[in-house]
Amino acid sequence: MYPEKGKVAVLTGEKKIDVLELPVPQINDDEVLVKVEGCGICGTDVHEYKGDPFGYIPVQLGHEGTGEIVAIGKNVTTDASGKPLAVGDKIVTGLKPCGVCDTCKNDPAHIHLCDGGEIFGLLPGEDHYFNGWFGEYIKINAGGVIFNVSDMPELDSRLLIEPAAVVVHAVEQAKQIFNFKHDSYVLVQGCGPIGLLLLTTVRTMGVRNIIAVDGDKKRLAMAEKLGARWAVNFLEEDAEARVMEITGKGAEMAFQCTGSPKAASTIWHYVRRGGSMCELGFFVNNGPTSYNPHLDICNKEIKVIGSWTYQAKDWLQAMEMLKEASKQGYPVGELVSHKFALDEINEAMETNIRMDGFKIAIVNE
């Protein structure tokens, strides 16, 4: 059973989240009610918190969540992969395509590029209170994409599944233009949660020569714990020269994970002639960047690919990656560096903005 009322954290203004207590919704035969255990704060949440660039206010944010099913409609019997679902199961939620746009109808291989897809935690308006993970309960609407993750009992690991799916998708994109080998020189620019999970993923694939580039000592130290062979601090040394010293000719494959236009201008300089680059840092519009088409792309004949969100299959591989990383001794759970109660969510957001840790999470005791 569950209480009649529950808390929801609603963004009501710039840098202003109000925690409201509202009636917990009843579910129908096609819906699921989940008791939230925790939810990580994503960079997208922070951008919305800082200035509402999407025009969503009022909105209940939170899409990196996990929790336990407390009520389930009779028509909901399996998750997105076909695994049975029941009360007591631990779950996470993915992207729900709209089903009616041109991409959904004519290009199912790229259904994650749907023009009108829905992600719980990014649905604006009062009608979607209890449809975000920043709360005590979340209602999974009919057709919502659910994954049963009951075989992952550790909360910290489950909190990383959604960002890990972003990373797995990026690596799959990169495979279209680069053949990863054990001795490949792979560079990861930006050691926030996405960059750190990215290099962990590449390391679990057996790649040994991983170069982490960042300006934060703590993040670079974590990068080394998670499998980077070299940590390059661009604030303390000539990063381009150091990368050339390490590789001889430049990185064979580079991932841009920062969301910084300045970094996006720099990434090209780290890549060797004939090399490859994957851009996955700009999930919001942080402004334009500049590059030299002759020196950075044409003369080097660099192959470039972008990465956007994820597909259902990426979630399944993300779970396997996190399990494998733990099995190999990489402390991925340590990425959840700060935990705040729901009532402390504004403080949690400010902690994230200050870049005081890695993954900041809201956790319900």
Side-chain angles (χ1 to χ4, degrees):
M1 296 297 294
Y2 50 91
E4 293 184 359
K5 291 188 175 183
K7 294 179 178 180
V8 292
V10 179
L11 182 68
T12 57
E14 184 177 320
K15 290 192 173 184
K16 186 176 185 294
I17 297 179
D18 294 322
V19 179
L20 312 176
E21 190 169 30
L22 301 171
V24 176
Q26 300 296 307
I27 64 165
N28 62 33
D29 292 343
D30 299 301
E31 297 174 334
V32 178
L33 187 68
V34 177
K35 180 176 174 60
V36 177
E37 293 177 281
C39 181
I41 295 176
C42 175
T44 304
D45 296 320
V46 173
H47 282 288
E48 182 63 12
Y49 170 79
K50 288 166 64 176
D52 191 27
F54 309 119
Y56 283 172
I57 288 176
V59 59
Q60 182 190 12
L61 297 170
H63 56 273
E64 296 183 356
T66 184
E68 180 176 312
I69 295 175
V70 293
I72 188 168
K74 67 179 183 180
N75 295 333
V76 185
T77 57
T78 61
D79 75 354
S81 68
K83 291 173 65 174
L85 282 175
V87 170
D89 283 337
K90 311 289 188 181
I91 66 114
V92 293
T93 52
L95 171 67
K96 175 188 174 183
C98 73
V100 297
C101 71
D102 182 72
T103 300
C104 285
K105 289 182 176 180
N106 301 313
D107 192 11
H110 298 96
I111 205 166
H112 60 295
L113 300 180
C114 160
D115 294 326
E118 295 183 352
I119 297 179
F120 292 107
L122 290 171
L123 302 174
E126 295 182 10
D127 291 343
H128 291 293
Y129 292 177
F130 288 102
N131 279 157
W133 282 97
F134 289 150
E136 292 182 322
Y137 291 88
I138 181 172
K139 179 170 72 73
I140 310 303
N141 298 339
V145 177
I146 303 174
F147 297 95
N148 187 336
V149 292
S150 299
D151 61 342
M152 297 178 67
E154 301 86 2
L155 175 60
D156 290 356
S157 293
R158 284 185 277 126
L159 289 172
L160 296 173
I161 294 174
E162 195 273 351
V166 171
V167 162
V168 166
H169 183 74
V171 171
E172 290 303 306
Q173 287 290 97
K175 288 178 181 177
Q176 297 184 47
I177 60 172
F178 182 71
N179 180 25
F180 289 89
K181 298 178 181 179
H182 293 296
D183 60 351
S184 299
Y185 283 95
V186 176
L187 183 142
V188 178
Q189 184 190 45
C191 294
I194 292 295
L196 290 169
L197 284 169
L198 190 290
L199 70 86
T200 304
T201 302
V202 175
R203 186 67 188 93
T204 61
M205 293 162 54
V207 177
R208 297 189 298 270
N209 297 326
I210 302 173
I211 307 164
V213 179
D214 201 283
D216 185 283
K217 293 180 180 179
K218 291 182 179 178
R219 292 189 171 194
L220 288 170
M222 178 59 75
E224 291 181 307
K225 292 178 69 173
L226 292 173
R229 185 171 178 182
W230 296 278
V232 178
N233 190 327
F234 67 83
L235 294 179
E236 296 184 348
E237 58 184 322
D238 184 332
E240 293 178 36
R242 177 62 177 139
V243 170
M244 293 304 163
E245 178 186 349
I246 292 168
T247 63
K249 296 182 179 180
E252 297 167 84
M253 178 73 216
F255 290 91
Q256 203 296 114
C257 306
T258 70
S260 162
K262 184 176 181 180
S265 294
T266 305
I267 187 73
W268 311 94
H269 306 168
Y270 298 128
V271 184
R272 66 174 296 170
R273 297 189 77 185
S276 303
M277 192 273 280
C278 178
E279 170 60 64
L280 69 150
F282 287 81
F283 288 101
V284 296
N285 184 358
N286 286 336
T289 187
S290 62
Y291 63 93
N292 186 313
H294 168 66
L295 293 176
D296 295 335
I297 298 181
C298 188
N299 178 265
K300 287 185 175 182
E301 206 166 88
I302 286 178
K303 296 177 285 293
V304 181
I305 197 163
S307 182
W308 182 256
T309 65
Y310 32 59
Q311 300 183 31
K313 63 182 180 181
D314 299 317
W315 285 72
L316 303 178
Q317 289 304 306
M319 299 170 206
E320 294 306 313
M321 184 279 290
L322 290 168
K323 295 174 189 174
E324 182 62 25
S326 295
K327 183 179 179 181
Q328 292 186 21
Y330 297 109
V332 285
E334 291 184 16
L335 287 178
V336 183
S337 59
H338 292 66
K339 296 178 181 178
F340 291 85
L342 188 63
D343 290 331
E344 302 170 322
I345 189 167
N346 287 284
E347 182 183 350
M349 287 287 186
E350 295 296 332
T351 301
N352 195 303
I353 291 171
R354 293 193 303 269
M355 298 174 62
D356 282 352
F358 304 113
K359 176 57 65 178
I360 313 299
I362 304 300
V363 174
N364 297 327
E365 297 297 335

